[in-house]
Amino acid sequence: MYTAVDISKQSPKAPQIQKNKKTPVLKSSLSIANTSGDSTWPDSLKVYVERSFAACSTSARKRLEKQLNQIISSAVKNKKLNSINWTIRPLPKACDLEPQPVLPVKRTSVSAGIIDTSDNFDSEERKERRLHRFQKEAEAEAARKEAESSSTMPIPQPPNTADVHNWDADTIVGTCTRLEKSYFRLTSAPDPSQVRPLSVLRNTLELLKRKWVEENNYTYICSQFKSMRQDLTVQRITNSFTVEVYETHARVALETNDLGEYNQCQTQLKQLYAMGLPGHAMEFLAYRILYFLYTRNKGDINAAMAAMLPSEKQDQAVQHALSVRAAMAAGNYHRFFMLYLATPNMGGYLIDKFVDRERCASLQRMCKAFRPRLSVAVIAKDLAFAKVDDCI
């Protein structure tokens, strides 16, 4: 039904509008289908074809020829070759160059109706484009609603465990049976033959308690306790026995004024108590408050008091530590030294670290209040000296 003919033969009277001086547009090798009934093309169609080639690059000419063939064949088939307003019709998609500006044309009732042609809006290509556009709009709306909901109620993301070391696979169980072992800092992976298991560590703790009472050698005892703590750590043993080891080492360190080791034990005990393991949590809470008074760390004191439960404040040791803090804050040296003489547990060892500081500050207040005379006996009594000679 359709025969392929050359544009230049089909419309010999068409004006020879050139894209440039070297290559005429209408002398290209484009072949377009045409019916036998229509012998001539409207001038607007000729200009449309020329505009299409003028806006098309050399690499896209073959694609443009194919698209023009389809457009014109469809118009001929629907008998709308002369009714379509080719002046305002969009150029084919193969025209990747900037289209030439077209003068505005007054729309008529005919041209307004011609725009909604089956070729323009009802073609499969246009339907597919509209479908993609509606899908993108729906996806964007869904993403917006999801973002709004996630902003009010964030969904926790699963943790990234790709680079997390599997400590369970590397946990060892010691095989060493020696009760006594000096502490050495690890510089490589622990050797199970040099690590004592839990059953041996229990016997070691009892042995160290007896040796501390009998020999009172802190250098030896401290090295043995640090070795026990190391064996517990490399085997990841966390239970009531772990709490007992750290509590015992902390008390021994307090007794010998080793606040460095005491503070390490105190820090670890705080974490163990937070895990719900049984121990003397209130005793060491009172020690922690007294330690903060020694370091004058008001921020940590306030944080510890804010985190206390009402039941914790009812404990005798905790009440005593809070009373010491209140007396120091108020400058009430008389009450402070009365509390110093009645310190429960081993809190006196901590107060000993800053009692001389408080005595100097208290003596200044006493001299201002009782001048010109102040007996040494009164000073010794009020500042909690054991005897008068100690304050001279």
Side-chain angles (χ1 to χ4, degrees), residues 78-91:
N78 296 325
K79 297 181 180 181
K80 296 181 180 181
L81 188 65
N82 296 313
S83 59
I84 294 177
N85 191 346
W86 299 100
T87 305
I88 63 175
R89 194 189 190 285
L91 298 180

Side-chain angles (χ1 to χ4, degrees), residues 205 208 221-229 245 248-249 252:
L205 179 60
L208 294 181
I221 291 295
C222 181
S223 176
Q224 293 297 317
F225 268 107
K226 292 177 70 174
S227 178
M228 285 186 62
R229 288 159 49 187
V245 170
T248 306
H249 193 186
V252 173

Side-chain angles (χ1 to χ4, degrees), residues 130-171:
R130 288 197 295 271
L131 178 61
H132 289 330
R133 186 175 70 251
F134 294 148
Q135 287 179 348
K136 290 181 179 179
E137 293 177 356
E139 292 175 358
E141 180 67 18
R144 184 184 64 81
K145 292 181 178 179
E146 183 179 358
E148 292 178 354
S149 61
S150 62
S151 62
T152 56
M153 186 178 297
I155 300 176
Q157 298 295 328
N160 182 14
T161 59
D163 298 330
V164 178
H165 188 76
N166 186 7
W167 292 106
D168 292 330
D170 294 337
T171 301

Side-chain angles (χ1 to χ4, degrees), residues 16-175:
Q16 301 296 320
I17 301 178
Q18 298 179 354
K19 180 180 179 182
N20 49 51
K21 293 183 178 181
K22 294 182 179 180
T23 306
V25 175
L26 294 182
K27 289 185 179 181
S28 66
S29 60
L30 174 64
S31 297
I32 302 176
N34 190 16
T35 59
S36 58
D38 295 327
S39 59
T40 60
W41 287 356
D43 294 339
S44 59
L45 174 58
K46 299 174 185 178
V47 175
Y48 176 80
V49 174
E50 295 168 0
R51 286 174 45 227
S52 300
F53 275 99
C56 176
S57 62
T58 305
S59 60
R61 278 183 174 272
K62 291 185 179 180
R63 193 172 49 194
L64 175 62
E65 292 176 4
K66 184 176 180 181
Q67 294 178 2
L68 284 174
N69 194 356
Q70 295 176 352
I71 293 173
I72 297 176
S73 299
S74 177
V76 171
K77 179 180 178 181
N78 296 325
K79 297 181 180 181
K80 296 181 180 181
L81 188 65
N82 296 313
S83 59
I84 294 177
N85 191 346
W86 299 100
T87 305
I88 63 175
R89 194 189 190 285
L91 298 180
K93 297 175 64 177
C95 300
D96 50 0
L97 300 180
E98 290 293 331
Q100 298 179 355
V102 181
L103 296 177
V105 180
K106 183 178 180 180
R107 296 183 60 186
T108 61
S109 59
V110 177
S111 63
I114 293 300
I115 294 178
D116 283 334
T117 60
S118 60
D119 175 65
N120 198 8
F121 290 97
D122 296 336
S123 63
E124 295 297 328
E125 181 181 356
R126 295 298 294 273
K127 289 180 180 179
E128 186 176 356
R129 288 169 58 187
R130 288 197 295 271
L131 178 61
H132 289 330
R133 186 175 70 251
F134 294 148
Q135 287 179 348
K136 290 181 179 179
E137 293 177 356
E139 292 175 358
E141 180 67 18
R144 184 184 64 81
K145 292 181 178 179
E146 183 179 358
E148 292 178 354
S149 61
S150 62
S151 62
T152 56
M153 186 178 297
I155 300 176
Q157 298 295 328
N160 182 14
T161 59
D163 298 330
V164 178
H165 188 76
N166 186 7
W167 292 106
D168 292 330
D170 294 337
T171 301
I172 66 172
V173 177
T175 59

